[in-house]
Amino acid sequence: MNESVPIIQLGNPMLVQKAAWVDNIQDEHIQKLIDNLIFTIFQANSVGIAAPQVAESYRLFIVASRPNTRYPDAPEMKPTAMINPKIIAYSTEVIKGWEGCLSVPGIRGLVPRYQKIEIEYNDRNGKIQKQDLTDFIARIFQHEYDHLEGKVFLDRVESTEELMTEAEYQQRVLNNT
């Protein structure tokens, strides 16, 4: 049975470590971790989660974009496990967008990200997948990829003036007041 797994938070040393390569994708532990991460995403109203966020140092994350209370305008995308992911190419265009993180609760930041990226990853069956991602989905990928490199979105915010609490974000940005 799938279960929600505890999410570690800012200050935990695992969030600043580089994650380990996944050698055996079919390993029972890895497959169970994928299922638990997907379950946790839905429980937490999230659009992505990386293994290091649940204290598992693996190069693995889930992208599962869908509209929810945290991201009401998110496009729909089936939960996808991305194992040993790579960014192969990226656009010159960089766009700032608001991001939050389950490991940095209560804070949003305006984060610059590439508007378009070309990626490669292994799916949960071990098959290599290549995709071009744009806009919000590309943003999710880059955010989760940062977790594998030991970074959080706060590392990319250019000024403290581009930070706000979740409550302010909900009121000022989502409700345009």
Side-chain angles (χ1 to χ4, degrees):
M1 184 169 133
N2 298 336
E3 56 192 65
S4 186
V5 282
I7 297 163
I8 62 174
Q9 299 198 347
L10 190 64
N12 187 304
M14 183 158 291
L15 289 175
V16 295
Q17 294 173 11
K18 268 192 143 178
W21 191 262
V22 177
D23 291 320
N24 181 3
I25 293 168
Q26 297 309 312
D27 179 81
E28 189 178 322
H29 179 74
I30 296 296
Q31 291 294 316
K32 176 86 172 139
L33 178 58
I34 290 168
D35 291 336
N36 288 343
L37 287 171
I38 291 170
F39 188 80
T40 302
I41 275 182
F42 288 104
Q43 295 294 105
N45 266 327
S46 185
V47 293
I49 192 169
Q53 290 181 270
V54 297
E56 295 270 4
S57 184
Y58 293 111
R59 296 189 77 75
L60 153 65
F61 57 74
I62 310 296
V63 175
S65 183
R66 71 200 185 293
N68 62 49
T69 54
R70 292 181 69 228
Y71 298 98
D73 299 324
E76 200 74 46
M77 177 185 172
K78 184 172 90 36
T80 304
M82 298 184 172
I83 304 154
N84 300 325
K86 294 180 205 142
I87 298 175
I88 298 167
Y90 47 86
S91 64
T92 53
E93 189 176 3
V94 172
I95 296 173
K96 284 187 179 182
W98 288 101
E99 294 182 20
C101 181
L102 297 174
S103 293
V104 187
I107 300 286
R108 292 282 183 132
L110 203 51
V111 183
R113 300 279 186 194
Y114 297 111
Q115 191 262 333
K116 182 178 180 182
I117 54 175
E118 183 183 337
I119 62 159
E120 182 179 291
Y121 63 92
N122 292 94
D123 64 21
R124 72 179 303 163
N125 300 313
K127 188 169 186 266
I128 292 179
Q129 302 290 333
K130 288 186 179 194
Q131 285 181 287
D132 290 332
L133 303 178
T134 58
D135 303 319
F136 191 68
I137 305 290
R139 177 170 298 281
I140 298 169
F141 182 99
Q142 291 169 82
H143 176 107
E144 301 309 333
Y145 186 85
D146 274 355
H147 282 299
L148 308 185
E149 296 297 312
K151 293 184 183 327
V152 294
F153 79 91
L154 297 172
D155 296 318
R156 299 220 181 259
V157 172
E158 294 173 339
S159 162
T160 55
E161 293 173 8
E162 297 178 328
L163 294 171
M164 68 173 65
T165 66
E166 182 67 27
E168 280 292 310
Y169 173 81
Q170 291 287 333
Q171 181 182 338
R172 291 180 44 212
V173 178
L174 290 186
N175 294 329
N176 296 316
T177 58

